[in-house]
Amino acid sequence: MTMRSPWTCILWDVDGTIVDASEGILRRLTLCLEHFGFPAPTREELVHWIGPPMYDSFQANVGMTGARAAEAVAYYRQIGKAEGYTSGARLYPGVGELIEELSAAGVPQGTASSKPENQVLALMEHFTLAPRLQAIVGATPDEQTLATKSAIVAESLRRLAAVGVDTRRPVLIGDRHHDIEGGADQGVPVIFVTWGFSWPHESEGAQAVVHDVDELRALLLIEDDA
């Protein structure tokens, strides 16, 4: 059976969509916030931290100034570099296999993550998914120069187009409202996955909502009748 996709290319968010990195994020956040005199977050509070750029989250969640948030991001990244960016990370069940299936079907794929790009690359290489992706795109290390989901989606599309990918009908797979908003800015529909870190209302505006990988596969791969 030959499979094809109704989409010309697929963009993937990473945290909460491909990878569950919550264990390492909670540990690094605890060390970082305590260093700056704030209480450690609970696991339940991670929903406020996973998804948006950390620079924004330090301001929104604990009231840091922009300058202080920049210091906190640098300290947080220092901890991550020392630990190794893949420490404690795991793939969500079935997602890696789906990326492999899409690649085997000839569907171009790339990441569009708010996570710093060097960390996205480290994770994709760690899970041996990098060869299946035509563009690995994330935020700049300062999470300010290239940080918004809209800008990251645009950059992912630009890099895919630069290597000859047809970007006329893209779709973004994500788990937060930032994905939906960023996709909308670029005219990219979003398939919202519920296995990440999100509130129920965040799926509003998505093209579709899926609860497991089988539902996602059905939207990304169809039988080729040709």
Side-chain angles (χ1 to χ4, degrees), residues 85-157:
Y85 300 127
T86 62
S87 175
R90 65 179 183 87
L91 289 176
Y92 283 103
V95 177
E97 289 84 351
L98 177 55
I99 291 172
E100 296 276 359
E101 288 178 54
L102 288 161
S103 177
V107 184
Q109 301 172 85
T111 66
S113 172
S114 296
K115 204 176 189 72
E117 191 168 299
N118 63 322
Q119 296 184 33
V120 176
L121 178 59
L123 285 164
M124 296 303 98
E125 289 180 339
H126 176 71
F127 292 115
T128 66
L129 295 175
R132 312 303 175 205
L133 303 166
Q134 282 68 49
I136 296 177
V137 179
T140 47
D142 63 2
E143 293 192 19
Q144 296 179 60
T145 308
L146 179 63
T148 68
K149 182 62 73 162
S150 176
I152 290 166
V153 167
E155 176 63 12
S156 187
L157 291 172

Side-chain angles (χ1 to χ4, degrees), residues 1-198:
M1 181 189 304
T2 303
M3 304 298 287
R4 65 177 180 85
S5 180
W7 311 98
T8 60
C9 61
I10 295 168
L11 308 183
W12 292 90
D13 175 52
V14 175
D15 274 344
T17 301
I18 299 176
V19 174
D20 180 357
S22 58
E23 178 186 314
I25 291 171
L26 181 59
R27 183 172 59 251
R28 291 190 289 274
L29 267 177
T30 296
L31 292 171
C32 184
L33 288 173
E34 288 180 344
H35 174 80
F36 286 93
F38 295 94
T42 64
R43 182 167 181 82
E44 291 68 32
E45 291 170 332
L46 279 180
V47 69
H48 300 296
W49 294 91
I50 295 178
M54 281 291 181
Y55 175 75
D56 295 340
S57 293
F58 281 121
Q59 295 174 77
N61 296 337
V62 295
M64 287 186 178
T65 64
R68 197 64 163 166
E71 292 178 25
V73 168
Y75 189 78
Y76 179 85
R77 298 303 172 211
Q78 181 182 329
I79 297 169
K81 185 176 181 180
E83 286 189 347
Y85 300 127
T86 62
S87 175
R90 65 179 183 87
L91 289 176
Y92 283 103
V95 177
E97 289 84 351
L98 177 55
I99 291 172
E100 296 276 359
E101 288 178 54
L102 288 161
S103 177
V107 184
Q109 301 172 85
T111 66
S113 172
S114 296
K115 204 176 189 72
E117 191 168 299
N118 63 322
Q119 296 184 33
V120 176
L121 178 59
L123 285 164
M124 296 303 98
E125 289 180 339
H126 176 71
F127 292 115
T128 66
L129 295 175
R132 312 303 175 205
L133 303 166
Q134 282 68 49
I136 296 177
V137 179
T140 47
D142 63 2
E143 293 192 19
Q144 296 179 60
T145 308
L146 179 63
T148 68
K149 182 62 73 162
S150 176
I152 290 166
V153 167
E155 176 63 12
S156 187
L157 291 172
R158 186 193 69 78
R159 291 195 207 173
L160 285 170
V163 295
V165 170
D166 182 353
T167 60
R168 288 176 297 177
R169 199 164 63 256
V171 67
L172 171 64
I173 317 301
D175 74 313
R176 300 303 305 267
H177 68 88
H178 309 86
D179 298 307
I180 295 172
E181 293 163 2
D185 283 348
Q186 300 299 327
V188 178
V190 173
I191 298 174
F192 191 93
V193 304
T194 61
W195 55 73
F197 288 80
S198 63

